[in-house]
Amino acid sequence: MRAANWSGPATKTCGTDQTGHAEVVELDFDPAQVSYEQLLDSFFALHDPTTLDRQGPDWGTQYRSAIFFHSPEQQALALAKIEQLTAEGRFKPKRIVTKVEPAQTFWRAEEYHQKYLEKRGQASCHI
């Protein structure tokens, strides 16, 4: 059952691969503590940016590799990072398929999906 004040798409609905939504983490950061470039480095180190619409055993467009930018500067830095990693051949012979898209409304998943792995006795995901 969904909370009465819930206005976002249901996690189960997003899992149908029909909504265009992505399962993501929204990250607020202090640029005085960590740069956007450092966040991009971590992003590309923590997941496989070469699998189209898939992460590990999870598949569908909701699992696409995506960076959602909030400014033209963030967009330019994300595209430059992809270009740099491609030129370095970091993921050869595969190619980076990460999409760089404008950020839209972030919908927090319902409570049952928060701390999903912890609730199932897992310390971290398979990726």
Side-chain angles (χ1 to χ4, degrees):
M1 181 170 190
R2 298 177 73 190
N5 63 351
W6 180 258
S7 60
T11 302
K12 288 181 181 179
T13 303
C14 292
T16 65
D17 200 28
Q18 301 296 311
T19 67
H21 289 90
E23 290 197 22
V24 300
V25 174
E26 182 179 47
L27 182 64
D28 291 320
F29 71 100
D30 179 352
Q33 299 294 316
V34 62
S35 71
Y36 189 70
E37 292 90 343
Q38 289 171 303
L39 294 176
L40 290 170
D41 288 338
S42 293
F43 174 80
F44 284 104
L46 293 172
H47 86 294
D48 184 350
T50 68
T51 53
L52 186 63
D53 298 337
R54 182 181 194 113
Q55 289 301 311
D58 301 318
W59 56 272
T61 57
Q62 72 272 26
Y63 296 109
R64 68 189 175 272
S65 176
I67 297 170
F68 297 96
F69 61 87
H70 292 271
S71 70
E73 179 186 21
Q74 286 183 349
Q75 178 186 23
L77 289 168
L79 292 171
K81 177 58 70 175
I82 292 170
E83 188 175 307
Q84 173 197 345
L85 294 171
T86 300
E88 291 173 358
R90 177 85 56 93
F91 296 99
K92 274 190 168 183
K94 298 178 181 178
R95 68 179 183 86
I96 296 172
V97 296
T98 301
K99 296 177 189 260
V100 178
E101 305 173 6
Q104 297 182 24
T105 302
F106 176 80
W107 299 102
R108 188 175 189 273
E110 298 98 330
E111 192 55 40
Y112 81 90
H113 211 68
Q114 298 300 320
K115 299 186 179 186
Y116 185 84
L117 296 173
E118 184 179 307
K119 290 175 181 175
R120 285 151 184 79
Q122 297 174 325
S124 64
C125 73
H126 54 273
I127 300 173

